[in-house]
Amino acid sequence: MSGHVVTDAKTANSAEAPRIAAAALATYIKRAFEAAGLRSEDADVVANLMVEADLRGSDTHGVIRLPLYLRRLKAGGIKARPDIHVVRERPSGRPPPSSTATTASATSSCALPP
């Protein structure tokens, strides 16, 4: 890799664009989230999901979101250490008519996306 930042769309979309190994990218993302206050385990999960999104072609849900998520963490819009706990577990699929869809609870209204 040449070490330069790609700023022009023609280069960014070409085969000449620098490539980063998925594992190295996940490590970078994880460290960024840890530096922003996430627990190591949470940072690892989010980093791997973001890299998976990029690898599947869902670029709008991948590493491009990292600066936004870090800004939201810094501003308090995303709670770095939410108190999330399982309320009830059940199989996936359509819930019975009398049950509610709530399966988890958190003390924060915002959480990191999957």
Side-chain angles (χ1 to χ4, degrees):
M1 188 161 87
S2 64
H4 70 282
V5 176
V6 176
T7 57
D8 127 355
K10 290 180 185 175
T11 304
N13 292 325
S14 76
E16 297 174 13
R19 304 288 179 192
I20 300 171
L25 183 58
T27 298
Y28 176 83
I29 295 169
K30 179 182 177 185
R31 288 180 182 165
F33 279 129
E34 288 173 335
L38 266 70
R39 293 179 194 97
S40 181
E41 298 80 20
D42 294 340
D44 189 53
V45 169
V46 176
N48 284 310
L49 289 170
M50 290 174 72
V51 170
E52 182 180 338
D54 278 329
L55 292 172
R56 289 179 177 231
S58 296
D59 296 334
T60 57
H61 289 72
V63 70
I64 197 168
R65 295 260 181 202
L66 183 60
L68 172 67
Y69 296 155
L70 294 176
R71 283 193 304 271
R72 286 184 178 174
L73 280 161
K74 184 177 182 181
I78 297 174
K79 191 172 182 180
R81 295 181 181 251
D83 181 27
I84 298 172
H85 57 277
V86 175
V87 175
R88 177 181 55 212
E89 288 190 40
R90 64 175 181 210
S92 62
R94 179 174 245 163
S98 62
S99 71
T100 64
T102 304
T103 57
S105 175
T107 59
S108 173
S109 61
C110 296
L112 290 173

